[in-house]
Amino acid sequence: MDVRVDMLVSNIWAIEEAKMDFTIDIYLRQYWEDPRLSFLGNEIQRTLTLNRQTIDEIWVPSTYFFNAKKAYFHDVTTDNYLLQIQPDGNIFYSVRLTVTMACKLNLQMFPHDVQTCTVMLESYGYQATDVFYKWNSRNSTGDVVYIAEDLEMPQFMITNVELEEKTNIYNIGPHSALVAKFTFHRRLGYYMIQTYIPSMLTVTISWFSFWISPDSPPARVGLGITTVLTMITISNSARAPLPKVSYTKAIDWFLLMCLVYVFGALMEYAIVNFYSCKVQYKKQKETRKAEQEFFAQESEKEESDGLFQNGSIKKSDSNGSYRVAVVIDSKNPFFPRAHLNKKHSKFRLARRFRQKETDELNESNSQHPKKRHHYFWDPYETAFMTSEPAYTVDKYARISFPVTFAVLNSIYWIVYAPDKVIF
């Protein structure tokens, strides 16, 4: 017996990548001829329409979906079945189904992928010598599997439907089968808004650190760590709905590229910091040398109660404690460090007297003079003395990072983007 089949696809639910399946809502229509059910028709009754109970009393092909995970019939407000018998014994049997079918997805090009999911049906209890399935071609191929005009999927677009008739060979014998291959083209708009544009903006923000002064470690380190954590968050959210496959997807390459660039911007400051620390270490050595020279000069020129100030000796009437501070370039604390290294550092001594109470001052007159304590203060001692190599690293990073990222980004879109991008 030949069983002709066509179907109306009323809806296709979103494809779930993690479960590798999709859900389809169809009206399955089957046609066959049973001479035992022929009857004498008249002008009034040309077609006999029967109810659900009659289906259990006549022969129907044992049709099932080969790749179905789960399915259910619709019964609101009554069972959604339709059975019509023509006077010559031709039977039209229609049923509404919602079926979740397995679909082997290849996600290597995700989210630029084009997926093909199949709907295959065959007879479970009859071999091909008993029941043979055919597509019911009435007018054209489009009438065999008709897709509702208002059907619209949120992330995919149906671009093609391919029909096939085949015979599956099992150990019990051959079984006739019908296959409908749906081609789904993924829409890229969602991933452009949620993944690609935020990732590229995060990479661009990480480049702002190249224009921040190397003498501001909190700003540059904070910006670098923030962009790295942002990229990790975007990567996790993009991979959350995807299965844990062993191969690398297209979006993985893009997110990895962005993560490398934001991490590279943070490492670039580590290189700048290395050069700055070298200069700072060199400056500390020069400061210690200046201290030694100052103490040597002071020991020669200092008198009993005098204080060396601005190149002259001045005696102090009081015997109070005081301290000497060495100030480097105090006139202009924002003096460029590159120029400061080239100039001779001039020492200027400042005196600060700490007056005591009257009783303590009288006691001090009878004692020996206290030893003077010298405190050397360099306003640039705790700051980074940025060198020319450090500025050179930033200078080249401002050009190399955007240029290489633009080149790699172009290569990515050329390799992975399909011929037609659908938003």
Side-chain angles (χ1 to χ4, degrees):
M1 179 179 293
D2 292 338
V3 178
R4 303 181 307 278
V5 177
D6 62 57
M7 64 180 67
L8 167 65
V9 179
S10 60
N11 198 1
I12 297 179
W13 309 107
I15 298 177
E16 296 187 16
E17 291 84 0
K19 297 181 179 180
M20 293 269 184
D21 59 21
F22 73 105
T23 303
I24 184 171
D25 190 0
I26 61 174
Y27 293 84
L28 180 63
R29 300 163 177 171
Q30 303 178 72
Y31 308 82
W32 70 90
E33 182 180 358
D34 191 347
R36 299 172 298 177
L37 299 179
S38 59
F39 61 94
L40 297 176
N42 51 50
E43 296 181 357
I44 300 176
Q45 188 69 26
R46 294 181 178 273
T47 302
L48 184 61
T49 302
L50 303 176
N51 57 15
R52 170 69 178 84
Q53 287 72 20
T54 310
I55 298 176
D56 298 332
E57 299 176 2
I58 65 173
W59 181 91
V60 294
S62 55
T63 304
Y64 82 105
F65 291 94
F66 182 81
N67 56 334
K69 287 186 174 181
K70 59 182 179 180
Y72 63 90
F73 297 95
H74 293 264
D75 54 2
V76 178
T77 59
T78 183
D79 294 335
N80 296 170
Y81 293 89
L82 176 60
L83 179 64
Q84 292 181 344
I85 303 177
Q86 303 291 335
D88 56 358
N90 286 318
I91 299 175
F92 170 62
Y93 175 43
S94 176
V95 58
R96 184 186 176 191
L97 301 168
T98 297
V99 188
T100 300
M101 300 187 181
C103 181
K104 296 180 180 180
L105 303 177
N106 186 358
L107 300 175
Q108 289 184 350
M109 300 290 291
F110 178 89
H112 313 280
D113 54 335
V114 178
Q115 302 294 341
T116 301
C117 297
T118 60
V119 175
M120 185 169 68
L121 56 88
E122 66 180 17
S123 178
Y124 190 85
Y126 299 96
Q127 299 183 12
T129 54
D130 300 325
V131 175
F132 191 82
Y133 285 94
K134 296 180 180 180
W135 288 113
N136 184 38
S137 300
R138 291 175 291 180
N139 297 325
S140 62
T141 305
D143 291 334
V144 177
V145 178
Y146 180 77
I147 300 176
E149 296 180 356
D150 58 346
L151 191 152
E152 184 175 356
M153 302 178 66
Q155 292 191 24
F156 291 90
M157 175 180 292
I158 302 176
T159 57
N160 187 31
V161 179
E162 183 180 352
L163 305 178
E164 182 182 356
E165 298 177 0
K166 61 185 299 185
T167 300
N168 297 324
I169 306 300
Y170 304 105
N171 56 354
I172 60 174
H175 282 66
S176 177
L178 297 177
V179 180
K181 298 180 180 180
F182 295 87
T183 302
F184 300 102
H185 200 130
R186 191 183 298 273
R187 300 177 185 269
L188 200 60
Y190 172 81
Y191 296 95
M192 288 294 298
I193 297 173
Q194 297 293 328
T195 303
Y196 285 105
I197 294 178
S199 299
M200 289 187 285
L201 290 178
T202 303
V203 174
T204 304
I205 292 173
S206 68
W207 298 338
F208 292 170
S209 62
F210 303 151
W211 279 267
I212 299 177
S213 174
D215 298 333
S216 302
R220 296 192 65 160
V221 174
L223 181 60
I225 294 176
T226 302
T227 53
V228 170
L229 295 178
T230 303
M231 277 307 309
I232 294 176
T233 303
I234 295 175
S235 301
N236 292 337
S237 62
R239 297 188 181 100
L242 300 178
K244 298 178 180 179
V245 295
S246 58
Y247 50 83
T248 305
K249 301 175 288 294
I251 196 171
D252 294 335
W253 288 114
F254 183 85
L255 294 175
L256 179 61
M257 176 181 65
C258 295
L259 183 60
V260 167
Y261 268 87
V262 296
F263 184 75
L266 186 60
M267 292 301 297
E268 186 270 348
Y269 180 65
I271 299 174
V272 172
N273 185 54
F274 171 76
Y275 285 110
S276 299
C277 289
K278 288 182 62 177
V279 176
Q280 186 184 20
Y281 176 74
K282 182 179 179 181
K283 187 64 182 68
Q284 289 176 352
K285 292 178 61 177
E286 294 177 354
T287 303
R288 287 195 295 268
K289 183 179 179 180
E291 293 176 5
Q292 296 175 359
E293 294 177 355
F294 173 76
F295 281 121
Q297 294 177 4
E298 187 186 35
S299 62
E300 296 176 357
K301 299 180 181 180
E302 191 177 34
E303 291 186 356
S304 59
D305 293 327
L307 179 66
F308 182 66
Q309 184 177 16
N310 292 332
S312 61
I313 303 296
K314 183 178 181 180
K315 294 184 178 181
S316 176
D317 296 335
S318 64
N319 198 22
S321 62
Y322 56 88
R323 52 185 177 178
V324 177
V326 179
V327 181
I328 301 177
D329 194 24
S330 62
K331 295 182 179 180
N332 186 9
F334 299 100
F335 195 76
R337 290 158 175 74
H339 294 172
L340 182 62
N341 294 335
K342 299 177 182 179
K343 288 190 175 183
H344 247 338
S345 301
K346 295 182 179 180
F347 298 101
R348 183 177 63 84
L349 302 183
R351 181 179 61 182
R352 297 182 181 178
F353 290 99
R354 188 166 55 194
Q355 300 294 339
K356 295 184 178 181
E357 296 181 358
T358 307
D359 53 349
E360 295 180 353
L361 184 60
N362 296 331
E363 292 178 1
S364 64
N365 293 329
S366 61
Q367 297 178 358
H368 294 286
K370 295 183 179 180
K371 185 179 180 180
R372 292 184 293 274
H373 300 279
H374 303 273
Y375 298 90
F376 289 82
W377 174 66
D378 184 353
Y380 307 117
E381 184 177 358
T382 58
F384 287 113
M385 301 289 292
T386 306
S387 61
E388 291 299 330
Y391 281 116
T392 304
V393 172
D394 277 344
K395 179 180 178 181
Y396 283 104
R398 295 169 190 172
I399 302 175
S400 60
F401 272 71
V403 171
T404 55
F405 182 75
V407 173
L408 293 178
N409 201 11
S410 301
I411 295 175
Y412 170 83
W413 287 99
I414 293 174
V415 173
Y416 287 101
D419 297 335
K420 182 179 179 182
V421 178
I422 299 177
F423 292 95

